[in-house]
Amino acid sequence: MANSQHTVPYYEDHSKRVGYKNVNEAVMEFEMDCKCGVKLPSLMPDITFTHEFASLYKDKIHGSNKILQVRFVNRKIKSNNFKIEVRKDKVDFEGTEYMLQGGTKGIYFKDNLYDYLAFEKNYLQYIVGLDRNVDNGNTVQVLIDIANTFN
């Protein structure tokens, strides 16, 4: 009979092997590197997550400094994916413009996998993304509501 209980579940072990860290640890490392204060939202999409991870990497495509990426996933519901990307070096995005609270401009755009909203707060660029396969009502409004809670 196979042992069905592992001391380190596969999902957590695999995420660490590919470079993901604890969210708090990655945020602190990014803050020290860029000498800034990262904000995370107080509102999340109305879907369930089983895991959260964070990673730091250099964007080789846009040639920018380190990027903090925080991911929220559900091991059993593959479409329950939400991510937050934080950049000190900003990238221009093309899309539909929305006004956020406090007069901040948000740019809504899509790719094959995610719907995104990019905006600036406290001298950092934030990009929030929600998996396109999530049935979460009005995705643009969900992303705007989340963006408005970055305090």
Side-chain angles (χ1 to χ4, degrees):
M1 179 185 260
N3 182 359
S4 63
Q5 295 184 5
H6 303 283
T7 55
V8 178
Y10 169 77
Y11 212 69
E12 288 83 352
D13 183 50
H14 176 70
S15 66
K16 287 178 183 168
R17 280 188 277 125
V18 296
Y20 283 97
K21 306 175 179 199
N22 169 286
V23 172
N24 292 331
E25 177 185 340
V27 167
M28 287 190 318
E29 187 176 329
F30 183 82
E31 288 176 330
M32 287 178 20
D33 184 62
C34 75
K35 296 173 183 43
C36 61
V38 171
K39 305 293 183 190
L40 294 177
S42 58
L43 178 69
M44 296 292 285
D46 191 20
I47 54 178
T48 58
F49 302 109
T50 58
H51 297 80
E52 61 183 56
F53 312 108
S55 65
L56 295 167
Y57 64 92
K58 184 170 179 124
D59 183 351
K60 294 179 177 115
I61 294 172
H62 297 100
S64 64
N65 289 333
K66 279 190 179 177
I67 299 168
L68 170 66
Q69 186 178 74
V70 181
R71 299 210 42 210
F72 300 87
V73 299
N74 187 309
R75 184 176 182 182
K76 295 180 181 175
I77 306 170
K78 300 299 181 201
S79 64
N80 283 13
N81 286 298
F82 175 65
K83 64 181 175 178
I84 302 167
E85 200 169 277
V86 184
R87 299 170 176 263
K88 186 169 183 180
D89 296 327
K90 297 160 186 77
V91 175
D92 290 327
F93 293 101
E94 292 184 14
T96 306
E97 190 174 306
Y98 290 89
M99 197 55 65
L100 305 176
Q101 288 177 357
T104 302
K105 177 178 71 171
I107 303 294
Y108 174 75
F109 61 98
K110 301 177 181 188
D111 71 9
N112 292 336
L113 301 174
Y114 284 84
D115 290 352
Y116 294 99
L117 185 71
F119 59 96
E120 292 181 27
K121 188 93 170 169
N122 301 325
Y123 306 104
L124 295 172
Q125 182 178 51
Y126 290 86
I127 303 144
V128 291
L130 188 58
D131 191 300
R132 296 195 78 199
N133 294 313
V134 170
D135 182 19
N136 206 20
N138 183 349
T139 302
V140 176
Q141 190 59 53
V142 169
L143 293 173
I144 289 170
D145 291 345
I146 292 167
N148 284 328
T149 69
F150 280 77
N151 296 324

PDB file of all heavy atoms in Angstrom, residues 1-10 75:
ATOM      1  N   MET A   1       0.846  -1.169   0.000  1.00  0.00           N
ATOM      2  CA  MET A   1       0.000   0.000   0.000  1.00  0.00           C
ATOM      3  C   MET A   1       0.897   1.240   0.000  1.00  0.00           C
ATOM      4  O   MET A   1       1.814   1.361   0.790  1.00  0.00           O
ATOM      5  CB  MET A   1      -0.902  -0.022   1.236  1.00  0.00           C
ATOM      6  CG  MET A   1      -1.796   1.193   1.325  1.00  0.00           C
ATOM      7  SD  MET A   1      -2.736   1.217   2.853  1.00  0.00           S
ATOM      8  CE  MET A   1      -4.270   0.614   2.248  1.00  0.00           C
ATOM      9  N   ALA A   2       0.617   2.166  -0.878  1.00  0.00           N
ATOM     10  CA  ALA A   2       1.415   3.387  -0.982  1.00  0.00           C
ATOM     11  C   ALA A   2       1.071   4.344   0.138  1.00  0.00           C
ATOM     12  O   ALA A   2      -0.061   4.416   0.592  1.00  0.00           O
ATOM     13  CB  ALA A   2       1.166   4.060  -2.324  1.00  0.00           C
ATOM     14  N   ASN A   3       2.069   5.085   0.590  1.00  0.00           N
ATOM     15  CA  ASN A   3       1.861   6.087   1.631  1.00  0.00           C
ATOM     16  C   ASN A   3       1.258   7.327   0.983  1.00  0.00           C
ATOM     17  O   ASN A   3       1.874   7.960   0.144  1.00  0.00           O
ATOM     18  CB  ASN A   3       3.200   6.417   2.303  1.00  0.00           C
ATOM     19  CG  ASN A   3       3.037   7.414   3.430  1.00  0.00           C
ATOM     20  OD1 ASN A   3       1.940   7.886   3.713  1.00  0.00           O
ATOM     21  ND2 ASN A   3       4.141   7.720   4.079  1.00  0.00           N
ATOM     22  N   SER A   4       0.034   7.695   1.380  1.00  0.00           N
ATOM     23  CA  SER A   4      -0.651   8.827   0.760  1.00  0.00           C
ATOM     24  C   SER A   4      -0.350  10.142   1.476  1.00  0.00           C
ATOM     25  O   SER A   4      -0.799  11.182   1.053  1.00  0.00           O
ATOM     26  CB  SER A   4      -2.161   8.583   0.739  1.00  0.00           C
ATOM     27  OG  SER A   4      -2.629   8.486   2.062  1.00  0.00           O
ATOM     28  N   GLN A   5       0.395  10.095   2.573  1.00  0.00           N
ATOM     29  CA  GLN A   5       0.716  11.319   3.293  1.00  0.00           C
ATOM     30  C   GLN A   5       2.202  11.623   3.123  1.00  0.00           C
ATOM     31  O   GLN A   5       3.052  10.800   3.406  1.00  0.00           O
ATOM     32  CB  GLN A   5       0.380  11.173   4.781  1.00  0.00           C
ATOM     33  CG  GLN A   5      -1.098  11.012   5.016  1.00  0.00           C
ATOM     34  CD  GLN A   5      -1.422  10.973   6.497  1.00  0.00           C
ATOM     35  OE1 GLN A   5      -0.552  11.166   7.326  1.00  0.00           O
ATOM     36  NE2 GLN A   5      -2.670  10.708   6.805  1.00  0.00           N
ATOM     37  N   HIS A   6       2.481  12.818   2.639  1.00  0.00           N
ATOM     38  CA  HIS A   6       3.850  13.263   2.439  1.00  0.00           C
ATOM     39  C   HIS A   6       4.162  14.322   3.483  1.00  0.00           C
ATOM     40  O   HIS A   6       3.305  15.076   3.892  1.00  0.00           O
ATOM     41  CB  HIS A   6       4.025  13.884   1.049  1.00  0.00           C
ATOM     42  CG  HIS A   6       3.654  12.951  -0.062  1.00  0.00           C
ATOM     43  ND1 HIS A   6       4.468  11.931  -0.461  1.00  0.00           N
ATOM     44  CD2 HIS A   6       2.552  12.885  -0.833  1.00  0.00           C
ATOM     45  CE1 HIS A   6       3.892  11.280  -1.441  1.00  0.00           C
ATOM     46  NE2 HIS A   6       2.725  11.841  -1.695  1.00  0.00           N
ATOM     47  N   THR A   7       5.427  14.403   3.891  1.00  0.00           N
ATOM     48  CA  THR A   7       5.789  15.441   4.851  1.00  0.00           C
ATOM     49  C   THR A   7       5.775  16.817   4.187  1.00  0.00           C
ATOM     50  O   THR A   7       5.428  17.799   4.801  1.00  0.00           O
ATOM     51  CB  THR A   7       7.178  15.174   5.464  1.00  0.00           C
ATOM     52  OG1 THR A   7       8.111  15.040   4.405  1.00  0.00           O
ATOM     53  CG2 THR A   7       7.144  13.928   6.313  1.00  0.00           C
ATOM     54  N   VAL A   8       6.141  16.893   2.903  1.00  0.00           N
ATOM     55  CA  VAL A   8       6.053  18.138   2.153  1.00  0.00           C
ATOM     56  C   VAL A   8       5.177  17.841   0.933  1.00  0.00           C
ATOM     57  O   VAL A   8       5.592  17.104   0.055  1.00  0.00           O
ATOM     58  CB  VAL A   8       7.440  18.632   1.693  1.00  0.00           C
ATOM     59  CG1 VAL A   8       7.307  19.899   0.867  1.00  0.00           C
ATOM     60  CG2 VAL A   8       8.352  18.854   2.887  1.00  0.00           C
ATOM     61  N   PRO A   9       3.951  18.380   0.897  1.00  0.00           N
ATOM     62  CA  PRO A   9       3.083  18.103  -0.248  1.00  0.00           C
ATOM     63  C   PRO A   9       3.739  18.519  -1.559  1.00  0.00           C
ATOM     64  O   PRO A   9       4.490  19.498  -1.618  1.00  0.00           O
ATOM     65  CB  PRO A   9       1.848  18.973   0.038  1.00  0.00           C
ATOM     66  CG  PRO A   9       1.863  19.185   1.510  1.00  0.00           C
ATOM     67  CD  PRO A   9       3.318  19.214   1.892  1.00  0.00           C
ATOM     68  N   TYR A  10       3.460  17.772  -2.596  1.00  0.00           N
ATOM     69  CA  TYR A  10       4.087  17.982  -3.894  1.00  0.00           C
ATOM     70  C   TYR A  10       3.962  19.423  -4.364  1.00  0.00           C
ATOM     71  O   TYR A  10       4.919  20.015  -4.841  1.00  0.00           O
ATOM     72  CB  TYR A  10       3.481  17.049  -4.947  1.00  0.00           C
ATOM     73  CG  TYR A  10       3.912  17.419  -6.345  1.00  0.00           C
ATOM     74  CD1 TYR A  10       5.188  17.088  -6.794  1.00  0.00           C
ATOM     75  CD2 TYR A  10       3.073  18.141  -7.188  1.00  0.00           C
ATOM     76  CE1 TYR A  10       5.610  17.458  -8.052  1.00  0.00           C
ATOM     77  CE2 TYR A  10       3.491  18.509  -8.444  1.00  0.00           C
ATOM     78  CZ  TYR A  10       4.754  18.164  -8.877  1.00  0.00           C
ATOM     79  OH  TYR A  10       5.173  18.537 -10.112  1.00  0.00           O
ATOM     80  N   ARG A  75      -5.306  24.389  -6.219  1.00  0.00           N
ATOM     81  CA  ARG A  75      -4.748  23.137  -6.732  1.00  0.00           C
ATOM     82  C   ARG A  75      -5.795  22.302  -7.461  1.00  0.00           C
ATOM     83  O   ARG A  75      -5.496  21.623  -8.429  1.00  0.00           O
ATOM     84  CB  ARG A  75      -4.145  22.348  -5.582  1.00  0.00           C
ATOM     85  CG  ARG A  75      -3.473  21.086  -6.032  1.00  0.00           C
ATOM     86  CD  ARG A  75      -2.815  20.385  -4.893  1.00  0.00           C
ATOM     87  NE  ARG A  75      -2.140  19.202  -5.385  1.00  0.00           N
ATOM     88  CZ  ARG A  75      -1.507  18.360  -4.637  1.00  0.00           C
ATOM     89  NH1 ARG A  75      -1.431  18.573  -3.343  1.00  0.00           N
ATOM     90  NH2 ARG A  75      -0.924  17.314  -5.145  1.00  0.00           N
TER      91      ARG A  75
END
